[in-house]
Amino acid sequence: MNCLAIHWADPAQESTMDRVLQEISAVGRRLEELDSAMIFLTADTKSIRLDIAGFQTRVLGLEQQVTTIDTQVASSQDRDQELLFLRSKMTDLEDRTRRDNVQFLGIPGNIEVEDIQAFLQETLPKLTGITFDPALEFQRAHRLGPRRPNMANRPRPIIGCLLRHA
């Protein structure tokens, strides 16, 4: 036998129970909304973590590149300083070698000898009437400019650098 028991409660108590059930139902719906929001937040957090890890990797790579570039810039600056030093040294050396040069003018261009140094060592004491002791020694000697077809009209100067003579 089936029994159906119906308890009739007080109407005021019944409306309070309905309100409590409605509140519980509303809280349940709110918890479901919060649960779905938490799922989205968790997914977003994971995505942000992956992005941050990617950025960290890129930043490390960029730091290595910056370090490499800094090293190259420093070595480039060192090379620039060395280049400036070498240029000034080269200019100084060129100027010093030019200081010792003696220019001989008026020697006719039709006198072309193979050994200009020997020619000057023989000819200069005769032309100047000076006896050089020790004899003149040239480090180098050569005519300036290219040979011209008409040598007699305009002689080319001779440049010589004396060794051990002021």
Side-chain angles (χ1 to χ4, degrees):
M1 181 161 122
N2 289 346
C3 268
L4 181 62
I6 299 178
H7 298 282
W8 296 101
D10 186 14
Q13 196 178 16
E14 196 173 295
S15 80
T16 305
M17 289 295 278
D18 285 341
R19 276 195 320 245
V20 168
L21 286 174
Q22 287 174 356
E23 290 292 324
I24 291 173
S25 175
V27 167
R29 283 191 303 274
R30 184 71 182 135
L31 285 174
E32 287 175 2
E33 290 172 4
L34 287 175
D35 188 42
S36 66
M38 285 300 289
I39 290 171
F40 286 123
L41 285 176
T42 304
D44 286 346
T45 304
K46 286 180 183 178
S47 173
I48 290 171
R49 283 183 185 163
L50 290 174
D51 289 346
I52 289 173
F55 290 141
Q56 286 175 337
T57 303
R58 289 177 65 189
V59 165
L60 287 175
L62 291 173
E63 285 176 350
Q64 290 174 349
Q65 287 178 353
V66 166
T67 302
T68 303
I69 290 171
D70 284 344
T71 304
Q72 290 174 350
V73 165
S75 69
S76 173
Q77 289 171 343
D78 291 344
R79 277 187 251 134
D80 288 348
Q81 288 176 349
E82 184 180 3
L83 181 63
L84 287 173
F85 172 73
L86 291 174
R87 281 184 181 167
S88 68
K89 190 173 181 178
M90 181 183 70
T91 302
D92 184 50
L93 288 173
E94 285 176 348
D95 289 345
R96 285 178 194 237
T97 59
R98 286 186 189 128
R99 279 186 225 147
D100 296 335
N101 286 347
V102 180
Q103 192 172 32
F104 301 99
L105 301 172
I107 298 176
N110 58 1
I111 300 174
E112 284 293 330
V113 292
E114 298 213 8
D115 190 3
I116 292 180
Q117 291 180 14
F119 171 76
L120 290 174
Q121 286 171 348
E122 291 175 21
T123 309
L124 285 179
K126 292 177 189 174
L127 290 176
T128 60
I130 301 173
T131 305
F132 294 97
D133 187 29
L136 289 177
E137 288 183 74
F138 284 90
Q139 183 177 359
R140 64 185 173 276
H142 59 89
R143 287 217 184 243
L144 288 179
R147 290 184 182 197
R148 295 188 188 108
N150 190 355
M151 298 291 228
N153 290 346
R154 214 166 139 205
R156 295 183 298 152
I158 295 176
I159 297 285
C161 181
L162 292 170
L163 213 68
R164 293 184 278 282
H165 283 292

